[in-house]
Amino acid sequence: MTARRFARLARGAVLVAGCGCSPELADPGASARPVDASLEAGPAIEGDAGGASDDAGGWTTLDPMLIGADGSAPDLRLPWSAGQSGVAIAVSVSPFQCFQLDSLTDDDGGVYVPPDESGAYCTSCDQRVSVAAGGGLFVVPSRAGTFEPSGALHARFALRDCVTLTPLIPAPDAGASGVLTIRERTLGPSPARGTVTLHVIVSPASVFYPATADSTLDADLEAVNDQLSAVGLTATWGEVTRLPATASSDATFSRADPAPLARLRGDDAGSGPIIPVVLAGCLLLSDPLVGTPSEPLGYTPHVPGGVGPADAVYIKGSLCGTPQPVTENWTATSFGRVAAHEIGHYLGLYHAVEADGTTDQLSDTGPDNLMNYDPSLSTATGLTPEQGEVMRRHPFVSPAPGD
């Protein structure tokens, strides 16, 4: 395995990633549990509910919470302090299950997420939240502008069926059906400018796998920044890791079974506030409700990214189902759009417009935007100030030097 360091900063750019399919609309596959037993448990988190244990980066670990026989966890009270602009909640579940931020209210009864909503994400909610598979990061607010709850927030997490995405109630005699481990971080205002670090993981099937492709990879990563530099984000390139020549490049996966994606990422994603970007081979998304698998150009398991057994941005590198490998020969422009669109999902952006006409909650977006559900369109370019505010709020984004 070889690794190379990019010492320079990308020129005043932004990072956000893109996709040929929507992780919000992509329904899960048929498996109710992942095949890989290593995905069964989330990370062990210790601490007390009063927030006495502080982790690096401003995170506070809370007491584990049991998911009851009704499929939901107890109320989680999140105090809201003066000057606070948001909150990030990192949640993992053991054993592996799908779950959602099922309810979010405040002390005066303000409702930001109503209970028992179905679907990959809540289109009717004041704050949009996505179903998580095994683990997920939830950032409030999910849109631009001020967010001023009355008193404390009250969050409740509940299980979802990984296939139908509807509320899941375990068998009556099942007892406690899981344990949530939770970290919480208070967020201030989005910085005017921010930086974020990528760790690129290259599989053997990618056109970027040969060491001679380094200059091409440089140019394509710069194309990501060309798409995203208008909203005050700078990409700081970290490691580029090439997996062993014998490593797997392809993944047939679903929301219910992210193990194939996790195997592509392997143990090379690193730790801390770094976005793994996996340049894969074939990506085949199983969808039993539609009946036909799809081949997304890119995929991000959860909006926003940051937690989960397969947490990363994945970019397609070859066609699926061909007798001989057929490599996806990216142009710099097309790679820049898809990768930037996907990182956009990772930093909290939903599609500006979906195929069915559903729009995001931002006032300055439209179909001619990088976050169109189809980033390959010639008009799918550019980001808006409100999108930049959402992205820069992500806890993996650091204020730019001097700000």
Side-chain angles (χ1 to χ4, degrees), residues 70-114:
D70 64 349
S72 66
D75 178 83
L76 173 64
R77 185 176 184 274
L78 300 167
W80 199 267
S81 59
Q84 182 173 347
S85 296
V87 63
I89 315 168
V91 186
S92 297
V93 65
S94 178
F96 176 94
Q97 297 175 85
C98 291
F99 66 94
Q100 175 64 297
L101 177 52
D102 184 66
S103 173
L104 186 68
T105 60
D106 64 22
D107 280 346
D108 281 354
V111 178
Y112 307 104
V113 176

Side-chain angles (χ1 to χ4, degrees), residues 143-154:
R143 48 185 168 83
T146 59
F147 179 70
E148 298 177 343
S150 178
L153 285 176
H154 298 265

Side-chain angles (χ1 to χ4, degrees), residues 32 76 94 154 163 195 235 248 282 362 378:
L76 173 64
S94 178
H154 298 265
V163 174
T195 64
S248 174
C282 156
L362 307 180
S378 61

Side-chain angles (χ1 to χ4, degrees), residues 222-324:
E222 291 290 350
V224 174
N225 291 315
D226 288 340
Q227 284 290 321
L228 307 170
S229 59
V231 293
L233 277 169
T234 300
T236 303
W237 306 128
E239 280 189 287
V240 173
T241 299
R242 288 181 170 86
L243 299 177
T246 55
S248 174
S249 296
D250 303 336
T252 298
F253 64 97
S254 68
R255 187 187 302 272
D257 187 7
L261 288 177
R263 285 192 287 270
L264 290 185
R265 189 192 68 172
D267 297 325
D268 296 288
S271 60
I274 297 173
I275 301 175
V277 178
V278 180
L279 305 182
C282 156
L283 295 175
L284 191 63
L285 175 61
S286 175
D287 184 351
L289 297 183
V290 174
T292 303
S294 61
E295 295 186 38
L297 293 175
Y299 187 79
T300 303
H302 189 257
V303 179
V307 178
D311 179 66
V313 162
Y314 297 84
I315 305 296
K316 175 184 177 181
S318 62
L319 298 181
C320 301
T322 58
Q324 300 295 326

Side-chain angles (χ1 to χ4, degrees), residues 114-189:
D116 298 328
E117 291 287 325
S118 298
Y121 67 102
C122 184
T123 58
S124 63
C125 293
D126 179 81
Q127 299 296 317
R128 286 193 176 177
V129 287
S130 296
V131 171
L137 180 69
F138 300 84
V139 176
V140 177
S142 64
R143 48 185 168 83
T146 59
F147 179 70
E148 298 177 343
S150 178
L153 285 176
H154 298 265
R156 182 171 64 89
F157 293 91
L159 298 180
R160 291 291 186 267
D161 184 284
C162 283
V163 174
T164 65
L165 304 181
T166 55
L168 177 65
I169 300 177
D173 58 350
S177 55
V179 178
L180 297 178
T181 54
I182 303 172
R183 293 182 299 158
E184 178 266 339
R185 176 177 169 178
T186 297
L187 301 176

